[in-house]
Amino acid sequence: MSIGNLPKHVQLRTWQQEFLDEFFATTLGMNGRDRSPNFLLVATPGAGKTWAQLSAAYILKSRVLIDLLIVCVPTDHLRNQRGRDAAQNFGLDLYHATGFVPLDDFHGEGVTYAQVAQNPGVWRSRCSTKQVMLCSDEVHHLGDDLAWGEKYKAAFESAAYRLSTSGTPFRT
């Protein structure tokens, strides 16, 4: 399935292309499927989950199906790394510092689970007024602190697309 073009230098592994096909079939309701905004990608550490997430976001953004990309991760280090990866490899400029800013000059933002838990209303408001793709990395961490999971759910329940990843097995 050809859902969109990626930057020329982005070469996907076979499993990443298969993931994109499955992701779009699920989230866009293609191939006779009912549309679902939720998708969970489980792959081993170092397999390329970040590029898979950013590829999906790039395609949705280039097709004008989303207004904002929000990348949610467990640590500041990962937030900063995702911001660099998005800009250098996909041309997606994500605000990835602490604090709350208007996002008019950005394609979206990178935030930590702790930031979301501190003020879930900020992201709830963004998701209610914009078409948002939420990419959550290492979602098993939401079970580490019950408040994180509850506030995360409240913040992002109206996101148009929710792509979660994990490289760690978890039960709930």
Side-chain angles (χ1 to χ4, degrees), residues 9-48:
H9 67 276
V10 173
Q11 299 297 314
L12 298 180
R13 297 173 181 160
T14 301
W15 80 261
Q16 291 166 321
Q17 185 58 55
E18 291 169 353
F19 149 74
L20 286 176
D21 292 345
E22 187 68 21
F23 173 79
F24 289 115
T26 300
T27 59
L28 298 180
M30 299 172 73
N31 301 335
R33 293 189 183 182
D34 290 334
R35 181 191 180 286
S36 172
N38 301 309
F39 198 96
L40 174 63
L41 170 61
V42 179
T44 59

Side-chain angles (χ1 to χ4, degrees), residues 61-163:
K61 188 76 175 148
S62 67
R63 293 190 68 196
V64 196
L65 294 172
I66 59 171
D67 301 312
L68 289 175
L69 168 61
I70 297 175
V71 176
C72 199
V73 296
T75 66
D76 289 333
H77 171 75
L78 287 174
R79 180 192 63 210
N80 295 331
Q81 181 183 6
R82 290 303 181 282
R84 285 189 306 273
D85 287 345
Q88 291 172 357
N89 299 304
F90 294 89
L92 296 171
D93 190 14
L94 303 181
Y95 179 77
H96 58 279
T98 57
F100 306 108
V101 298
L103 295 178
D104 297 338
D105 295 331
F106 297 92
H107 295 112
E109 66 188 317
V111 297
T112 65
Y113 294 132
Q115 284 177 288
V116 172
Q118 288 174 355
N119 194 349
V122 168
W123 291 278
R124 184 177 186 86
S125 174
R126 288 183 178 154
C127 291
S128 68
T129 60
K130 305 272 188 192
Q131 286 289 104
V132 171
M133 178 183 191
L134 170 66
C135 290
S136 301
D137 192 36
E138 302 299 342
V139 292
H140 58 276
H141 285 285
L142 291 171
D144 292 347
D145 179 340
L146 188 56
W148 279 11
E150 290 174 354
K151 290 181 179 180
Y152 168 91
K153 182 178 178 183
F156 297 117
E157 66 186 344
S158 62
Y161 304 92
R162 292 184 292 268
L163 172 55

